[in-house]
Amino acid sequence: MVPDEPHSDYERVRRIIAYISERWREQPSLEAIADHVGLSTTHVHHLFRRWAGLSPKAFLQAITLDNAKALLADSASVLDATYELGLSGPARLHDLFVTHEAMTPGDYKAGGAGLTMRFGFHPSPFGEALLIVTDRGLAGLGFVDDGDRAAALADMTRRWPKAEYVENPAATAPVARRIFSPSQWQAEQPLRVVLIGTDFEVRVWQTLLRIPRDRATTYSDIARHIGKPAACRAVGAAVGKNPVSFVVPCHRVLGRSGALTGYHWGLTRKQAILGWEAGRSQQA
C-alpha cells in the first residue's frame, strides 16, 4: 500500500537515494547514510524497508552497474518473448495489468480539442503524483517537485493545449490507488490507458509496456523492434515525452552500458522507482 505521510517519507527517502546514488562506488555503510540524513540507523533501515520493501544495503546493490547490466541481459530477446507469449495485445502487458488504446493521429494533431481532461494530485511512493484521466482511461501521470503543482500541471497541459482541463480528484483517486497499491494489480481489473501522441511515439510507448518489471531494455533495442534501427535518438525523444510515467515504464530504459540515462522526472526518482520495483520483485 501507499505509505502514510508519503510526502515527508519520499523526501527522506529521496535524500537517502541521492546519497547512495552519488557514492555507490564507495559502498557507504548504513551508519554513514544515517549520519548524512540526520536519522538513526534504525530509523533509516525501517523507513526504507517500509517504503521500498528492501533494505538500504539491498538498494545499494540494486543500483550498481553490475545489477543494471543484469537487468539488460538479453534485453532484445525479452522484447521478442513478449510477442511469442501473446502479451502484445490487450492482455497482461506487465505487472499493472494494463490495456491500452491509441487516439487517432487526427486527435493528436488537434491538440486535444474536444477532450475533457480530469486531473487530481495524489500521494505516491515517489512523491506527489498528478493524474489525468479521460472517458477512455488514464492519459497522463507525472510528479510534483518541490511542491510546485502548477509546474507539474503545466508540463501536462502543454502536451494537449486545446483540451479542457477540470480538477476532479474524486475521479482520479481510484486510479491512483489502482496504480500505486500492488494489492490492486489484478488481471480481472485491467487499468485502461489511452496513448495520445504521434504514430511514432505511440509505437515506442507500446513497446515500453512490454518490458517486464525485473528487466530493462535500451533505446537501440526499442528502435530495432519498431522497425527503425537507425532512429535511436528519435526513440530517446519519444521515451522522454512519455506522458504516462511509471505505468508506461520509461524508467526501465537504460544506456547500453547499463548506465542510468536521462529521465523526465529526475534520475533520483528513476532510481527510486527501480529500487521500489526490486523490493516488489523480492516479495513476489
Side-chain angles (χ1 to χ4, degrees), residues 161-198:
K162 296 181 181 179
E164 178 185 5
Y165 292 88
V166 179
E167 186 166 12
N168 188 346
T172 51
V175 182
R177 289 193 295 270
R178 171 72 177 80
I179 293 168
F180 295 117
S181 297
S183 63
Q184 296 193 30
W185 296 357
Q186 300 172 15
E188 296 77 16
Q189 298 177 340
L191 178 69
R192 295 177 59 198
V193 174
V194 57
L195 303 177
I196 310 174
T198 67

Side-chain angles (χ1 to χ4, degrees), residues 14-284:
R14 185 196 64 78
R15 293 176 60 207
I16 295 170
I17 291 171
Y19 182 78
I20 292 174
S21 301
E22 292 166 1
R23 298 172 180 264
W24 66 267
R25 290 179 178 82
E26 303 170 15
Q27 297 290 294
S29 65
L30 181 61
E31 289 76 11
I33 296 169
D35 286 345
H36 177 75
V37 297
L39 299 172
S40 69
T41 55
T42 300
H43 192 168
V44 167
H45 179 82
H46 288 296
L47 168 66
F48 210 88
R49 281 201 67 88
R50 175 164 62 87
W51 180 85
L54 72 171
S55 68
K57 181 178 180 181
F59 179 80
L60 175 60
Q61 295 169 342
I63 66 168
T64 63
L65 188 60
D66 285 345
N67 184 76
K69 288 179 178 178
L71 290 176
L72 283 173
D74 299 320
S75 64
S77 62
V78 168
L79 293 177
D80 291 335
T82 60
Y83 277 133
E84 294 171 8
L85 295 174
L87 301 184
S88 58
R92 186 190 185 280
L93 290 173
H94 61 77
D95 33 64
L96 282 177
F97 297 101
V98 171
T99 62
H100 74 279
E101 64 174 300
M103 289 197 170
T104 67
D107 289 329
Y108 172 70
K109 290 178 181 178
L115 284 176
T116 298
M117 304 281 205
R118 295 180 294 278
F119 70 90
F121 296 91
H122 303 280
S124 88
F126 319 110
E128 190 172 38
L130 165 64
L131 277 76
I132 295 180
V133 299
T134 72
D135 290 339
R136 298 190 189 185
L138 176 71
L141 195 166
F143 295 100
V144 177
D145 286 315
D146 302 320
D148 194 344
R149 288 183 169 185
L153 183 60
D155 181 272
M156 284 293 177
T157 58
R158 71 170 61 98
R159 300 167 188 261
W160 314 292
K162 296 181 181 179
E164 178 185 5
Y165 292 88
V166 179
E167 186 166 12
N168 188 346
T172 51
V175 182
R177 289 193 295 270
R178 171 72 177 80
I179 293 168
F180 295 117
S181 297
S183 63
Q184 296 193 30
W185 296 357
Q186 300 172 15
E188 296 77 16
Q189 298 177 340
L191 178 69
R192 295 177 59 198
V193 174
V194 57
L195 303 177
I196 310 174
T198 67
D199 282 345
F200 182 85
E201 288 169 348
V202 168
R203 290 171 66 193
V204 171
W205 302 338
Q206 289 172 331
T207 302
L208 295 176
L209 280 167
R210 292 163 40 216
I211 307 172
R213 183 175 60 189
D214 58 349
R215 302 304 293 269
T217 193
T218 67
Y219 300 105
S220 59
D221 282 334
I222 292 173
R224 183 177 67 82
H225 273 78
I226 64 172
K228 301 286 186 181
C232 293
R233 188 179 297 274
V235 165
V239 170
K241 291 180 181 178
N242 169 30
V244 192
S245 182
F246 183 68
V247 173
V248 178
C250 51
H251 57 276
R252 297 178 193 159
V253 183
L254 306 179
R256 176 63 68 179
S257 69
L260 293 178
T261 50
Y263 183 59
H264 186 75
W265 303 104
L267 283 181
T268 296
R269 184 170 277 115
K270 181 172 185 173
Q271 289 166 320
I273 295 173
L274 289 171
W276 187 83
E277 289 186 333
R280 304 276 76 74
S281 294
Q282 289 183 11
Q283 293 174 4

